[in-house]
Amino acid sequence: MTHPPDTIARVCTSSTTGDKIPRTNHVKLAPICCIFLVMATVSARATDDSIEKLAQDSRCARALDWIDKNSDWVTQQQIRLTEIPAPEYGEGPRGEALKKLFETSGLRVQTDKLGDVVATRPGSDAKSVVLLVAHLDTVFPAGTDVNVKIKGTRLEAPGISDNGAGLAALAGLARALGESLIRTTKTIVIAGDVGEEGEGNLRGVRALVEAYGTRLSAVIAVDGASTDHITTQGIASRRFEVSITGPGGHSWSDFGAPNPITALSRGIVKFSSIHIPDEPRSSYNFGSIEGGTSINSIPARAAVKIDLRSEEDAELNRMETALRDAMQAGLREELTANHAGNDSLQVSFRSLGARPAGKIPDDAPLVETIRNVDRYLGNRSRLERSSTDANIPLSQGIPAVALGGGGKGSGSHTLSEWYDSTGREMGLKRLLLTTLALAGVQP
C-alpha cells in the first residue's frame, strides 16, 4: 500500500500535541520517512510500468487499436440489444442476441437453466476464473416502448444505459479479446445474467457464483456507463409486499366499512415520517401500489411494494421493524375511525428478496489493479457504494467490484433515460487492461 506524502509528513509530527518532535528524534526519523517515500514511489512506478508493459504487448496493442477503430460498432450493438425488450423474467430474446455476439467473437457459449448467457475464454488454468457479468434485464414492464432515438452522440431509450451500456461493453470486450489472439493464464468468463433488477433478487449472479465457487479469483460487474467510480461496497436491501385485506363492499350502502387502501395509506404516511440517517446511509422507496376493482367499490385488498436499503444490517433491522409497526398502526387507526372490529382487516408481509451487503478493502489487489489502469489511462475515479451484481460475491468474501462500461448516461429507471457514447473507448480499454492484468498474459 502506498503512503501519500502528507501521511509521511504526519509521521514526523507528534500525535498528541501537534508539536514537532524534538530535533534528535526528528533527525532519526527523517531517514526513515525518506525510505518510506522512496519505497512508495518505487512501488507505484513498478505497478504503473507493469500496465504500460501490458499495453505495449503487440497482442494487447492490437486489441486496444480495435477499440479505437470500432467504437461505432459497439454503439450499434448497444442500440440493437436495447431495442429487444427484457422485462423481469423475460430476458430470453435479448440473451439470444447476446449469445450470437459472443459466438461471433470465437467464444464458447452456453445458456444455463435460468437464462444466463455464459461465454468462456479458456486459460491455461481452468481452476482460476475472472468473471465479468452484466445484467440482461430492465426495470420496465412488457409493452414499454424501447425504440432508441438517436440525437448525435446521444441515445435515448428506457434501459439504454442501465444496462445497455454494460452489455455493449461486454460485447466489445469479447470482440477485442478475439482480435488480440492473446492467451491468458486464468480463464476469462463473460456473462449476461438475469434477475438483477426488480424482484429478480440477483438470481442470475447467485447461480454463477455458486457454479464457479472457489475457482473465482475476481468478479467485475459491468453496470451502466460511468468510468468515474469503482464500486467496492455492496449495499444491503430488503424488499417486501405489504397487503391488507378486508370484507370490501359497496361505496354507498357499505359506507363506513374499513377500507384496505385507506389503512395502507395511513401506514405509508406513518412510516414515511421516521428518521432515516445519513450515516449509515439508508433509503426506502414505495415502488408500486395496487388494490380495488372499481371506483364505487370498497376494495377487499390493497398492497404496496417497498424497497429498504442501508449500509448496515442493524439499520435495516430497525427500518423493517418500523415498517411493520407503521402498517399495524395504520390498520388500527382505520378500524378505530370506522368503529370496526379488530378482525375486519388483516395485514400480511411477504418478502420479495434480500440483497446481502459486502465490501472489498480499499487496498485489495483487485482495487489496486484498477487504480493502476486508471493512472495509465489518465482516468480519475473514486470509490463508490451501490447495489449491483457485485453484492453476491462480495458477501461471500470473493474479490469483486462494479465498473461502468464507458461513456455517460443518466435517467436510469425512467422513461427519459439517455446515453452519450463520448468517452466509450476509455471504458472499454479500462475493462480490457484490467481483465488481462488480472488473468495474466502468457508469452
Side-chain angles (χ1 to χ4, degrees):
M1 179 178 177
T2 58
H3 298 274
D6 62 329
T7 302
I8 297 170
R10 286 196 296 272
V11 172
C12 298
T13 302
S14 169
S15 60
T16 55
T17 66
D19 296 331
K20 294 294 182 180
I21 295 175
R23 176 174 295 274
T24 53
N25 291 335
H26 183 78
V27 171
K28 292 178 181 179
L29 284 177
I32 297 175
C33 294
C34 292
I35 291 171
F36 284 154
L37 181 59
V38 170
M39 289 175 61
T41 302
V42 169
S43 176
R45 185 176 299 163
T47 52
D48 288 349
D49 287 348
S50 68
I51 299 300
E52 183 175 4
K53 182 178 179 180
L54 171 63
Q56 291 175 351
D57 180 291
S58 60
R59 298 160 298 171
C60 185
R62 189 158 51 242
L64 293 171
D65 183 60
W66 184 92
I67 290 173
D68 283 329
K69 294 177 178 177
N70 291 276
S71 178
D72 288 344
W73 179 86
V74 179
T75 298
Q76 289 304 312
Q77 306 319 307
Q78 181 175 352
I79 293 171
R80 189 162 72 89
L81 290 169
T82 299
E83 290 186 336
I84 302 173
E88 187 176 337
Y89 293 97
E91 302 97 331
R94 182 177 286 185
E96 281 299 313
L98 184 65
K99 180 181 180 182
K100 291 177 181 177
L101 283 173
F102 286 160
E103 288 172 338
T104 59
S105 298
L107 298 175
R108 188 177 67 215
V109 191
Q110 63 178 2
T111 301
D112 68 17
K113 62 182 180 181
L114 291 180
D116 296 327
V117 178
V118 186
T120 303
R121 195 173 192 276
S124 60
D125 183 1
K127 295 183 179 180
S128 189
V129 173
V130 176
L131 171 64
L132 293 101
V133 60
H135 66 87
L136 290 159
D137 57 328
T138 72
V139 299
F140 305 100
T144 301
D145 181 3
V146 290
N147 289 315
V148 178
K149 299 177 179 63
I150 305 174
K151 300 179 180 179
T153 58
R154 182 164 166 144
L155 310 176
E156 298 178 358
I160 188 66
S161 183
D162 183 14
N163 193 26
L167 293 171
L170 289 194
L173 175 64
R175 182 62 64 88
L177 286 170
E179 294 290 327
S180 73
L181 301 179
I182 205 163
R183 296 178 301 171
T184 59
T185 300
K186 297 179 182 179
T187 293
I188 299 171
V189 176
I190 303 175
D193 73 324
V194 300
E196 195 273 347
E197 298 284 16
E199 297 173 31
N201 202 30
L202 302 180
R203 69 183 191 280
V205 75
R206 287 178 194 271
L208 291 171
V209 170
E210 181 180 355
Y212 289 102
T214 56
R215 287 179 288 168
L216 289 173
S217 65
V219 178
I220 298 175
V222 186
D223 202 331
S226 178
T227 58
D228 66 0
H229 68 271
I230 306 170
T231 299
T232 57
Q233 181 176 355
I235 303 302
S237 69
R238 298 177 195 173
R239 294 168 176 178
F240 300 94
E241 179 186 71
V242 183
S243 61
I244 296 180
T245 57
H250 192 281
S251 62
W252 175 258
S253 59
D254 295 309
F255 178 70
N259 188 314
I261 289 180
T262 308
L264 198 66
S265 300
R266 293 178 190 273
I268 291 172
V269 170
K270 285 185 176 295
F271 179 79
S272 299
S273 67
I274 71 169
H275 172 68
I276 302 298
D278 294 328
E279 294 292 338
R281 185 177 173 185
S282 307
S283 72
Y284 68 86
N285 181 61
F286 291 98
S288 68
I289 189 167
E290 61 179 20
T293 56
S294 70
I295 193 171
N296 59 338
S297 299
I298 299 171
R301 180 181 183 274
V304 65
K305 293 179 179 179
I306 181 172
D307 172 90
L308 307 176
R309 302 190 185 204
S310 181
E311 294 175 341
E312 293 186 5
D313 283 335
E315 180 59 24
L316 265 184
N317 291 337
R318 186 189 74 86
M319 293 169 69
E320 181 181 340
T321 298
L323 174 67
R324 293 177 181 274
D325 291 346
M327 290 302 175
Q328 293 285 1
L331 182 147
R332 289 194 298 270
E333 278 193 6
E334 177 65 10
L335 292 174
T336 300
N338 291 282
H339 308 288
N342 290 337
D343 59 349
S344 297
L345 294 177
Q346 299 292 326
V347 62
S348 64
F349 297 81
R350 180 168 69 95
S351 173
L352 300 178
R355 296 189 177 198
K359 190 178 187 302
I360 187 173
D362 294 351
D363 59 350
L366 171 57
V367 179
E368 287 301 312
T369 296
I370 300 170
R371 283 171 163 159
N372 294 335
V373 170
D374 279 342
R375 276 194 294 269
Y376 173 76
L377 294 173
N379 182 54
R380 300 185 65 179
S381 63
R382 67 184 186 279
L383 301 186
E384 190 55 88
R385 50 201 173 182
S386 187
S387 181
T388 68
D389 274 330
N391 280 47
I392 297 302
L394 283 172
S395 71
Q396 298 182 25
I398 299 169
V401 296
L403 301 175
K408 300 177 179 65
S410 187
S412 292
H413 294 197
T414 73
L415 296 177
S416 58
E417 189 172 348
W418 61 267
Y419 172 82
D420 190 319
S421 60
T422 304
R424 179 191 289 283
E425 297 86 352
M426 171 75 79
L428 292 174
K429 291 178 180 180
R430 189 184 192 212
L431 289 173
L432 175 73
L433 291 172
T434 298
T435 300
L436 292 178
L438 294 171
V441 174
Q442 291 190 326

